[in-house]
Structure formats: structure tokens, C-alpha cells
Amino acid sequence: MQDRIKLGANRTGIASSPMHSEAMLDGLSLQDGSPQPAIGAAELRASYRVDAEPVGSMPPPNTLRGVVGAVGESLKGKRMHILLDKLGERAAYERSGARLYDAFLQRLSAGVDAALPGDMSLELVQTIRNDEVAHFTLLVEAIEKLGGDPTVQTPCADMTAVTGMGLIQAMNEPRATLAQGLQVLMAAELIDVASWELLIALATQLDQAELADRFTAALNAENVHLERVRGWLQGALQNDVALLAPSDGDGE
Ligand SMILES: [Fe+2]
């Protein structure tokens, strides 16, 4: 675990070796007329799309008492499946959000960071983590209210799990700095905010005013998360700059 980025022997850039980079650029012309595969990556992907099955499906409603249950086979019921799919996605994302914060809290508890930015504290981070769990619970209730099964991995939940893999991987990177961890959280929170906005619009369109109200409360909390994490990230970067002693500077 690192407290901040340091100067080192990074040779990934072209400027680290002008002689070799010149030779590499000279070699670019050799690629002209070089043998190409019979089918390119774009064509290959296009051919997969033609034959592709959907990413999963939505199950039929599991109760006749729910809104969907009563009208499960009607047009309204089919429209409701779109909302249930997105609710399943949001539930999956909020659950992984709590795990992201758990990993971040583990980092903070290890005490390796020289200074925490601004008003950042374990307690405040824990508050955000608890909000993510509360949002997950809210989504479970919403899915049940609509006659759905909250344990289903919906197609959009499947897709969002794949999307979130990079975030989880980056957050659990043992070499990550505090600022890098906060950058991961900011990415997650930006998706949280935009996704709750979409859910509110969808619930409203489907005459679910009570759910839309509850989702608006969640959106308000997410906006607070985003502002806090963005502020902490800014503070962490400013701390990194301020903590650099003159001897760490250009002379190294
Ligand atoms: Fe959040």
C-alpha cells in the first residue's frame, strides 16, 4: 500500500529512449502491406452480434399480489419488467458499492496514509457505506412490491457486474494510493447519481410515484456522497503536493 505517487524508473513513455523510439517509428512503415488476418476484429465482433442470445432474461412475476403479478402478461406487466431489470441492476451495483467502501475502510484502518484530506474520517466513510446498504435494502423492497424476486440476477444486473469488475479490482490493488482509491469511489458515485436519476424517470413513467419519491431520497444521498468523495480526492491530491519536500522535487 502506498501513501502517494513517487518518482521512479518508469520507462513506458516514448521520451525515455529517443534512439529506440525513433527506430520504432521508422518501423511503422514496415506494417504497410504486411499480411492481415482473413477476418478483422471488427468483423469478428459483428459476426458474434448477429448470432448472440440476450444476456439472460427476466423471470415471470413470482406472486399474484404484486403490481406485475396481476397484469404480468399485459403490456403494463411487460413494461414493468424493464423497471424490474433496472432495479435488479441498481441493487447489484449498490451491493458492490458497499463492498468497495468496505475495501476502502480496510485501507484506512491499516493506517498507512500520512494524512487524511479535509473532513475525511473513518466515521464519514462508514456513513456512506451504510447508505449504500440502505439503498440496497430499499431496492429489495421495491422489487418485492412489484412482485419480483430480489435474488434474481437480471440481465442488466449481469452487465453491471461486468462493468464493476474493474472498480473492484482497482480498489483492491494493494499498491494503490489514497488518491487512487478515491478516484475509484468517485467513478462509482458518478454512476450512482446518474443511475438513480434514470430510475426516478422510469418509475415516474410507469406510474410508480411512491417509489420515485423514495428513489429521490436515495439520489439526494448519492449527490452528497459524490460531493464528499470529489472533495476528498481534491484534498488528497493537494496534500500530496504540499507534503513533497523540496528535496523530492525536480533535482532527483
Ligand atoms: Fe453512493
Side-chain angles (χ1 to χ4, degrees):
M1 205 178 279
Q2 299 294 316
D3 57 348
R4 61 187 164 83
I5 301 295
K6 297 178 177 69
L7 291 180
N10 182 336
R11 302 180 68 80
T12 56
I14 199 168
S16 63
S17 177
M19 190 179 75
H20 289 104
S21 56
E22 198 181 314
M24 184 181 77
L25 292 173
D26 285 347
L28 280 178
S29 59
L30 297 174
Q31 292 183 15
D32 298 340
S34 62
Q36 297 295 314
I39 180 165
E43 290 86 4
L44 195 59
R45 289 195 187 101
S47 72
Y48 285 149
R49 282 196 190 98
V50 169
D51 300 327
E53 298 285 332
V55 178
S57 61
M58 288 300 291
N62 64 347
T63 167
L64 291 176
R65 285 171 303 164
V67 176
V68 174
V71 289
E73 296 309 312
S74 70
L75 184 59
K76 187 177 181 190
K78 284 174 183 155
R79 282 183 185 147
M80 207 60 84
H81 290 158
I82 298 172
L83 177 59
L84 277 167
D85 188 11
K86 295 304 276 182
L87 291 174
E89 171 196 293
R90 199 87 283 279
Y93 200 86
E94 291 286 342
R95 196 176 47 225
S96 359
R99 288 182 181 141
L100 274 182
Y101 277 96
D102 280 339
F104 191 65
L105 280 163
Q106 280 173 16
R107 175 212 173 85
L108 294 182
S109 302
V112 290
D113 299 305
L116 297 185
D119 66 343
M120 186 176 164
S121 65
L122 271 167
E123 290 71 28
L124 269 182
V125 176
Q126 182 74 46
T127 305
I128 301 183
R129 186 262 180 204
N130 294 346
D131 281 351
E132 310 290 355
V133 175
H135 293 167
F136 171 73
T137 308
L138 162 63
L139 288 154
V140 167
E141 288 169 12
I143 293 166
E144 285 174 339
K145 179 178 181 248
L146 297 175
D149 174 356
T151 65
V152 166
Q153 166 143 296
T154 72
C156 285
D158 191 329
M159 287 296 291
T160 208
V162 177
T163 309
M165 280 166 65
L167 296 179
I168 300 278
Q169 210 176 337
M171 180 55 83
N172 286 305
E173 165 57 61
R175 298 165 299 177
T177 64
L178 181 69
Q180 287 168 337
L182 285 164
Q183 182 77 37
V184 173
L185 292 179
M186 190 175 74
E189 295 293 1
L190 281 163
I191 291 176
D192 274 344
V193 167
S195 301
W196 280 111
E197 286 171 351
L198 287 171
L199 261 192
I200 292 164
L202 201 53
T204 306
Q205 188 184 356
L206 289 165
D207 303 322
Q208 298 297 318
E210 192 257 331
L211 284 183
D213 279 351
R214 297 186 72 188
F215 295 168
T216 302
L219 172 63
N220 293 339
E222 297 294 2
N223 272 312
V224 173
H225 298 176
L226 177 59
E227 284 322 301
R228 283 206 172 128
V229 168
R230 202 199 313 248
W232 292 338
L233 174 56
Q234 192 177 341
L237 293 170
Q238 285 169 346
N239 280 353
D240 286 351
V241 172
L243 283 170
L244 272 178
S247 60
D248 289 344
D250 297 342
E252 261 189 282

